[in-house]
Amino acid sequence: MSHITDPDLSEDEIRLAAQLDNWFDAHREEFVQDLLQWVAHPSIADEKLAQPGKPFGAAVDEVFHHVLARAQALGFSTENHDGYAISIYADDREGVPEIGLVSHLDVVPPGDNWQYAPFEPFEKEGFVIGRGASDNKGPALVDLYLLRAFRDLGITLSHKLRIIYGGAEEIGMNDIRYLAQHGTLPRFSLITDGGFPVNYAQKGGLNLALHIPAGPLLTGLRAGVAENAVPSSAALRFPVAQRAQVSAALATLGEAQRAVLTLEEAEGGLRLVAQGKSGHAAFPEGTQNAIPLLLDALLAAGLLDDPADLRAAQLVSKLLADPWGEGAGIAAEDAATGKLTLNGGLAIPAEGGFELWLDIRYPLAADSAALQASLRTAVEATGGSLRVLRDDAPMHIDKNSPLVQQLLHTYDAVAQTRSEPFSMGGATHARVLPNSITFGPGFSRHAGGTFKGQATDLRPDFIRAGHGSPHGPDEFVVLDNLKRGFGVYGITLPRLDRWLQDGLAGDV
């Protein structure tokens, strides 16, 4: 631990922490109103909707302009990086190295099964509900309020603070990739799109599109909203004349399978829907993919008469049998980054069958080429094909490095706890932005988390069980946790400013 400086809070830092706490409380209602306005923007990035100056579509451009206008109204200088990202600068000093606070304003599509309207956010009992509240507009707004607080409290740094908001983190990170290639970058950046204490490793990200040949029934299979979200529903259609046959077949299923199925009339036909449980593809615990639920029911009920439909259902049921790649034959695990995860996030009708889009997060120990070869062999055996959408290698920083240990001990000092650096399957801009690390501001939702002795694993009692996660229905953020993250950053940034000056936080 010889690398550790400032392991505890100094008297000055204790006073600063109290000032930051009081400042946030004084601006809390304004913060909530800003967050509600940001979340109300359905800023779903889609490169297929690109326009000149709007590479991710009009929805992202609209939230960019809203946030830029708000920052300018607060007196900050701003910059729009050709529609890929925006920057907000704490001051107008020239030639001063920067510390970046990097986040994103795009969101995943809402999906199904929301109890509340996803883009009509509201605050209740200290929670804000709405798509993007947690991932990642709440944390992004913390960044802006940090700039305000530092200015109001007269906190000066040798480095200039600069916020960077991307517009395509959820669809492959071409936002910050573009900036890294075409713009100027901060000397060092904190990625404010993760959890505390400090993230030192992320699994690789492999996104594939499988073309699965199918017969007349499964050619109409539809499921999901994004490959990085677990589908909450999957559906296909039968001719209305088959109602008696389909109903009788479904009646032979066990109670558990019947409970997740709904057969309804829709647009002159019958629509069979399976309901699963959505969530983030990187964190599949507690989720249930609706695609294998539907296909397993069809197989068990004997409703797949066409040989191509039968082969397709058997293949996909095997590939998606579990979220760890065991059924698919690609399971892998290591101590640093944990288990491989596999999510079938989208099923889309395609010529001669359907496309199944996979989101695979693979550990350091796995080989991407071998994963692709294994899945390609399985798909080609049915006459299908595989194409690679994206492949991002795992990232890893030595968890005993001075930088990681400095951040860890700073968090522990503020939170009055003892913690360990963590790895995750979730991907952040740390993958594509040089000299950056993911540090907060989220807290684990598993039971037992505390900050200064107070519980952080809070959830609203007015949303349904299983709801509330990022990428899931009724996404929420805890306002008190955002305030806690604000306080941690308020102590960390002056320390990081000194570490960079003293050479204690080098390249990562």
Side-chain angles (χ1 to χ4, degrees):
M1 297 300 177
S2 60
H3 296 302
I4 302 305
T5 62
D6 308 322
D8 301 311
L9 298 186
S10 67
E11 290 297 323
D12 286 344
E13 287 175 327
I14 291 171
R15 284 192 290 271
L16 174 57
Q19 290 177 310
L20 290 164
D21 190 74
N22 292 334
W23 188 95
F24 191 93
D25 285 343
H27 295 80
R28 184 183 180 108
E29 280 306 310
E30 189 180 3
F31 181 95
V32 170
Q33 292 308 309
D34 273 331
L35 182 54
L36 294 177
Q37 291 179 32
W38 289 24
V39 175
H41 283 271
S43 48
I44 301 161
D46 189 341
E47 292 173 318
K48 296 189 296 295
L49 301 178
Q51 304 172 32
K54 305 174 185 179
F56 309 120
V60 169
D61 181 70
E62 288 169 6
V63 77
F64 275 177
H65 277 83
H66 176 90
V67 171
L68 288 170
R70 177 63 171 141
Q72 292 161 6
L74 292 170
F76 295 112
S77 299
T78 66
E79 186 175 3
N80 188 327
H81 304 289
D82 302 323
Y84 286 83
I86 58 175
S87 288
I88 301 170
Y89 299 93
D91 59 69
D92 294 325
R93 288 178 290 171
E94 298 289 342
V96 177
E98 298 169 338
I99 292 175
L101 297 168
V102 181
S103 184
H104 66 94
L105 297 175
D106 63 305
V107 301
V108 297
D112 302 322
N113 299 330
W114 282 69
Q115 186 176 344
Y116 302 100
F119 296 112
E120 297 176 14
F122 64 93
E123 184 273 332
K124 181 179 179 180
E125 299 174 8
F127 303 93
V128 169
I129 312 294
R131 171 59 83 230
S134 174
D135 186 11
N136 198 61
K137 290 176 177 175
L141 185 60
V142 167
D143 296 343
L144 181 58
Y145 272 62
L146 279 164
L147 263 60
R148 293 184 65 189
F150 274 39
R151 182 182 62 187
D152 291 355
L153 297 174
I155 302 167
T156 58
L157 305 178
S158 298
H159 293 76
K160 179 164 64 175
L161 291 179
R162 173 186 174 187
I163 294 170
I164 301 173
Y165 293 140
E169 193 272 349
E170 298 290 5
I171 61 166
M173 306 190 197
N174 284 334
D175 48 359
I176 304 302
R177 278 196 180 91
Y178 178 90
L179 183 63
Q181 294 170 2
H182 300 281
T184 59
L185 301 178
R187 178 180 180 183
F188 191 85
S189 297
L190 298 179
I191 309 298
T192 58
D193 180 24
F196 286 125
V198 58
N199 172 238
Y200 73 94
Q202 296 177 15
K203 295 173 187 172
L206 177 61
N207 295 86
L208 306 174
L210 312 184
H211 181 269
I212 312 291
L217 182 60
L218 291 192
T219 296
L221 178 64
R222 293 182 180 273
V225 295
E227 66 261 41
N228 61 358
V230 178
S232 63
S233 66
L236 47 73
R237 295 180 182 276
F238 290 89
V240 69
Q242 293 184 347
R243 172 182 287 278
Q245 174 193 350
V246 174
S247 297
L250 296 178
T252 67
L253 299 176
E255 182 179 351
Q257 281 191 303
R258 293 199 311 273
V260 301
L261 299 175
T262 303
L263 184 63
E264 57 193 15
E265 289 193 14
E267 299 176 8
L270 296 176
R271 185 169 180 261
L272 180 63
V273 183
Q275 294 290 345
K277 187 178 294 184
S278 187
H280 197 301
F283 311 103
E285 296 86 352
T287 66
Q288 179 62 68
N289 193 317
I291 297 174
L293 289 180
L294 179 60
L295 297 182
D296 289 348
L298 294 172
L299 289 166
L303 285 169
L304 299 173
D305 298 327
D306 185 274
D309 277 335
L310 182 62
R311 286 193 298 271
Q314 290 171 335
L315 172 63
V316 175
S317 178
K318 182 178 179 181
L319 294 178
L320 303 184
D322 60 85
W324 315 114
E326 294 174 3
I330 60 171
E333 182 176 7
D334 61 34
T337 48
K339 289 183 175 182
L340 177 148
T341 60
L342 166 63
N343 179 57
L346 284 171
I348 308 168
E351 184 176 357
F354 60 91
E355 281 200 341
L356 178 67
W357 288 32
L358 301 182
D359 179 297
I360 300 171
R361 313 292 173 105
Y362 59 92
L364 288 166
D367 178 71
S368 175
L371 299 177
Q372 295 175 43
S374 179
L375 292 170
R376 182 175 283 107
T377 297
V379 174
E380 288 179 350
T382 67
S385 60
L386 176 152
R387 75 178 191 275
V388 178
L389 302 174
R390 288 184 296 275
D391 186 10
D392 294 321
M395 62 146 291
H396 179 266
I397 303 168
D398 181 1
K399 68 178 180 180
N400 295 312
S401 67
L403 173 64
V404 171
Q405 290 299 311
Q406 292 278 21
L407 291 171
L408 175 69
H409 285 267
T410 298
Y411 171 77
D412 284 353
V414 178
Q416 298 174 12
T417 189
R418 290 185 65 85
S419 57
E420 293 291 332
F422 69 95
S423 65
M424 66 176 180
T428 72
H429 283 129
R431 288 186 184 277
V432 297
L433 183 64
N435 297 321
S436 66
I437 192 167
T438 303
F439 180 64
F443 294 87
S444 171
R445 294 186 178 182
H446 299 301
T450 63
F451 186 97
K452 296 183 179 179
Q454 297 181 322
T456 58
D457 57 333
L458 307 173
R459 61 167 286 115
D461 59 11
F462 53 86
I463 65 172
R464 299 185 185 115
H467 286 212
S469 68
H471 295 201
D474 300 311
E475 177 181 347
F476 72 84
V477 72
V478 183
L479 290 171
D480 281 348
N481 284 348
L482 291 177
K483 176 185 174 182
R484 290 170 176 130
F486 173 88
V488 173
Y489 290 142
I491 299 301
T492 301
L493 288 169
R495 287 189 173 193
L496 180 58
D497 186 55
R498 293 197 304 272
W499 300 337
L500 289 168
Q501 284 184 294
D502 296 341
L504 295 174
D507 294 346
V508 296

